[in-house]
Amino acid sequence: MTSRSPSLRKTLAPSLALAALLMAAACASSPTRPPVSIGTGQPRVDPVTGEEITDPSQIAEETGTGAFGKDDGGLTPDFMYGRDVKRAAVLLPFSHPTANVRAEAEAMLAGIELALFENAGTDFLILPKDTAGRASTAEARADEAIKEGADIILGPLFGAEVTPVKNAVTRKQIPVIAFSNDRTVAGGGAYLASVMPEEEVVRIMGYAASRGIRTFALLGPDTAYGKQIDTAMRAEALKNGWTVIGTSLYDPAASASTQVSGIARLINAERAQVGLILPERGNKLLSIAPLLVVNGVDPGRTKFLGTSLWDDAAIWREPALAGAWFAAVDPDNMTAFKDTYRRVYGRAPTDLAAAAYDAAALAVTLAGENNIKHGGVTDPDGFMGVNGLFRYRLDGTSQRGLAVKEIRSSGASVVEKGVTRFPPGSS
């Protein structure tokens, strides 16, 4: 599996509609310039299902056997031989012991394949490698990728894998675009492609402040995620001179009634309008929101605020959440991607599949510019992907142009779109 690209499978190539979505955003301080597409503009031509294949190099690619370039260890298919081929190693946990993780890895690989279908010509190759979710294995796969001429690493998935991978490729100055949301592993040549919880907090608090809400509180799970949101909330409030009246964290496996009543007392004692951040999902959120109302929290005075965990139609009918705001990727950018992914693979994409698509499309773009290097990845103008506008900071974290949605009786509607250009200068 690790010696050939799976991107040329016998399947109908998806439409090229997404190519128009992937454009670099121009810097506001520089002269206006046309957006630059993420991708080479040379979509691959793939055999149609059932089509007779008679060319030996096609057979080799489809079966994983047969004629390959003879002087590079058999890594390059014949139809790419003699070209200036750029290679992206894909490090994901395909054999992880947890079925859900294996499924996520396959969904992400599908997103990467789709990006190649949409954007890559015949001079870009992916090298999928199984990390099994183990740091030591991820490091070994990174070593292999270096020997096989990888120009960029897409992955790994878990934070514990990122540091050994970036350490393995540091001397070669190979960028690592990882999919962890643990910002402590960012930097040192590793860039985090996931939508960071901190970015969602910054977005939703900024929107609330623009509507006159500058006092905040948090009720969330006593988990790494809940603490991550709390830290981000306090940092953003300190930066802007806003007020935080308190945080209450509950055991995610137990009732949150005690914590709900405690945070309700704090909110009800406030004269100012409060923005209450609820970083929760599903049934837990559906039990907490009405319980807050029962404890005297008036949604007319207290605005419930959420993260992208709320981008779930199953929670939008809860009356206590009516009028609540949450940060999410702009749906305008996702619609075509979701439709094409579902048509090609017969299932809906995961959030990380979209992140993987953007990472691969970015790699293809930089390859076309002969700019797969740290300076290319951290272009301050940023890029427009299916997850909206994004750019990588020098510290390895990402900045995003997220939208804000409001929950209404008809569903969740965008009340403020994400920005399409970043301000001038570095993030």
Side-chain angles (χ1 to χ4, degrees):
M1 179 179 182
T2 61
S3 65
R4 68 185 183 93
S5 164
S7 62
L8 300 179
R9 292 179 177 171
K10 287 187 181 179
T11 182
L12 286 169
S15 83
L16 302 180
L18 293 184
L21 289 177
L22 293 164
M23 299 179 178
C27 178
S29 65
S30 61
T32 302
R33 60 179 173 84
V36 180
S37 295
I38 295 184
T40 64
Q42 303 170 11
R44 294 179 187 242
V45 178
D46 300 290
V48 176
T49 302
E51 177 182 58
E52 183 178 357
I53 303 175
T54 57
D55 182 82
S57 65
Q58 283 186 291
I59 295 173
E61 178 59 23
E62 288 296 313
T63 63
T65 61
F68 290 84
K70 301 300 189 296
D71 60 355
D72 67 351
L75 297 175
T76 305
D78 270 358
F79 74 92
M80 290 185 175
Y81 191 61
R83 298 175 180 269
D84 181 18
V85 177
K86 303 299 182 184
R87 296 171 174 84
V90 178
L91 275 59
L92 292 173
F94 299 110
S95 66
H96 194 277
T98 302
N100 287 344
V101 175
R102 295 196 300 272
E104 185 67 73
E106 291 294 337
M108 294 171 71
L109 180 60
I112 290 169
E113 290 178 336
L114 188 54
L116 265 66
F117 277 131
E118 294 283 346
N119 304 299
T122 54
D123 54 1
F124 195 93
L125 185 68
I126 61 171
L127 306 170
K129 294 183 177 296
D130 180 18
T131 69
R134 294 190 294 267
S136 59
T137 305
E139 183 177 19
R141 298 295 86 80
D143 287 334
E144 287 179 6
I146 294 172
K147 295 175 182 176
E148 294 171 5
D151 299 283
I152 190 168
I153 305 288
L154 305 182
L157 176 58
F158 299 115
E161 301 172 287
V162 175
T163 297
V165 167
K166 69 182 179 183
N167 289 344
V169 303
T170 294
R171 286 183 296 173
K172 295 290 186 178
Q173 290 293 298
I174 298 174
V176 175
I177 300 184
F179 300 103
S180 168
N181 65 2
D182 180 0
R183 65 182 301 134
T184 65
V185 301
Y191 308 92
L192 303 186
S194 300
V195 179
M196 303 296 292
E198 290 85 354
E199 286 294 302
E200 297 176 351
V201 171
V202 168
R203 181 68 170 107
I204 198 61
M205 289 180 72
Y207 180 79
S210 73
R211 270 43 180 187
I213 301 173
R214 295 178 175 86
T215 300
F216 298 91
L218 183 143
L219 173 65
D222 189 6
T223 60
Y225 176 74
K227 293 173 183 176
Q228 194 174 4
I229 298 293
D230 181 43
T231 300
M233 175 188 70
R234 292 178 180 277
E236 190 65 10
L238 180 63
K239 173 183 173 182
N240 292 284
W242 303 331
T243 301
V244 173
I245 60 173
T247 292
S248 186
L249 301 178
Y250 51 82
D251 180 351
S255 169
S257 57
T258 299
Q259 290 76 15
V260 167
S261 60
I263 204 73
R265 285 193 297 272
L266 286 176
I267 291 172
N268 293 335
E270 278 292 315
R271 294 186 177 181
Q273 191 174 15
V274 176
L276 176 60
I277 300 177
L278 300 171
E280 191 53 90
R281 71 168 79 222
N283 290 333
K284 194 74 171 183
L285 177 62
L286 291 176
S287 68
I288 287 174
L291 191 57
L292 284 163
V293 177
V294 169
N295 277 267
V297 175
D298 180 4
R301 287 188 60 251
T302 300
K303 181 64 70 171
F304 294 164
L305 307 176
T307 66
S308 59
L309 294 180
W310 288 21
D311 206 6
D312 174 9
I315 69 167
W316 295 342
R317 294 184 180 179
E318 169 51 52
L321 293 175
W325 299 325
F326 65 95
V329 299
D330 196 317
D332 287 350
N333 299 312
M334 286 292 292
T335 301
F337 169 73
K338 288 181 176 179
D339 290 346
T340 305
Y341 187 103
R342 186 184 294 275
R343 176 169 58 81
V344 173
Y345 298 109
R347 60 184 185 275
T350 64
D351 291 343
L352 283 174
Y357 179 101
D358 279 352
L362 172 59
V364 170
T365 291
L366 297 180
E369 299 171 351
N370 197 28
N371 194 27
I372 302 185
K373 54 187 71 173
H374 294 292
V377 174
T378 57
D379 183 343
D381 289 336
F383 307 91
M384 183 66 78
V386 296
N387 270 329
L389 185 67
F390 69 98
R391 65 180 174 185
Y392 292 113
R393 301 182 177 98
L394 296 179
D395 67 2
T397 60
S398 61
Q399 183 180 9
R400 298 202 172 255
L402 298 173
V404 174
K405 291 184 176 182
E406 180 178 275
I407 297 177
R408 300 171 179 171
S409 58
S410 58
S413 300
V414 174
V415 290
E416 188 168 274
K417 294 179 66 63
V419 297
T420 56
R421 289 190 179 185
F422 287 119
S426 59
S427 55

